[in-house]
Amino acid sequence: MKYDSFSPEDTFRIACKLGGQAEAGTVICLTGDLGVGKTLFSQGFAKGLGIEESVSSPTFTIVHEYDEGRMPFYHFDVYRIEDSEEMEEIGFADMVYGDGACLIEWAEKIADILPEHYTNVIIEKQLEKGFDYRCIRIEQI
C-alpha cells in the first residue's frame, strides 16, 4: 500500500489507523531518513493502540515500554546499535515474540534478527510535492 501524506496530521492519522488494526505479535519496522517523521508516526501508532501518555523516541535507551493501551507497546530506536547482539541484552526476543506490538525505528540495522514476518513502513520525503509531503509505503514481509 502507498499513502500520500501532505501534513504531519496526515502522517499521524495513517499511523493511528495502523495502530488501531494491530494485534498481539505485530512488528512494524520503520525506515526513513532523519527528519521524515518516524517519531511522529510512532506517536500515531501508539495512539491507535490506546496509549495516551507522551511517546518519544528512545534513541539513548533503545526501547520504551508502554503498558496503558489495549496491549503492551514496545518502541525501539536502534539507530545507535553497533551490533544486533546488543539487542539480546534488553530482551528483544521476548518483546518481539511476546503479547504486545513492536515498532522498530531504523530496523534495517538489525535485519539479521528480525522475525520472519513483519510490516515494513518506509517514509520518504519528495520535496517536489511540498515541504511537508511524505510518501508512506506499507509492505507485508
Side-chain angles (χ1 to χ4, degrees):
M1 293 184 164
K2 179 182 168 254
Y3 296 92
D4 295 311
S5 171
F6 293 94
S7 68
E9 293 80 16
D10 286 349
T11 297
F12 188 90
R13 276 192 297 273
I14 292 164
C16 189
K17 181 179 176 185
L18 190 61
Q21 298 168 346
E23 300 174 353
T26 295
V27 176
I28 304 293
C29 294
L30 187 55
T31 59
D33 291 335
L34 285 169
V36 297
K38 291 185 296 296
T39 299
L40 177 67
F41 191 94
S42 301
Q43 292 165 342
F45 186 83
K47 181 73 169 180
L49 290 172
I51 295 168
E52 296 296 330
E53 71 181 277
S54 178
V55 172
S56 60
S57 188
T59 302
F60 295 101
T61 58
I62 303 174
V63 64
H64 285 163
E65 185 175 343
Y66 303 89
D67 291 320
E68 73 173 68
R70 58 188 175 83
M71 71 182 80
F73 174 47
Y74 306 101
H75 180 200
F76 295 88
D77 183 331
V78 298
Y79 182 74
R80 298 191 182 284
I81 292 292
E82 296 291 327
D83 187 324
S84 58
E85 288 181 13
E86 293 177 51
M87 299 301 287
E88 291 177 28
E89 298 171 15
I90 61 168
F92 178 75
D94 292 336
M95 292 178 230
V96 167
Y97 296 105
D99 60 355
C102 295
L103 187 143
I104 308 165
E105 295 185 41
W106 302 99
E108 66 274 16
K109 294 186 66 109
I110 59 167
D112 59 319
I113 62 169
L114 293 175
E116 184 177 351
H117 300 288
Y118 57 88
T119 301
N120 199 32
V121 177
I122 302 129
I123 304 176
E124 299 172 316
K125 288 182 183 182
Q126 293 179 1
L127 293 176
E128 66 275 6
K129 293 186 178 183
F131 180 77
D132 288 330
Y133 177 84
R134 302 295 188 263
C135 175
I136 301 173
R137 291 191 330 251
I138 300 175
E139 308 165 341
Q140 299 299 318
I141 305 293

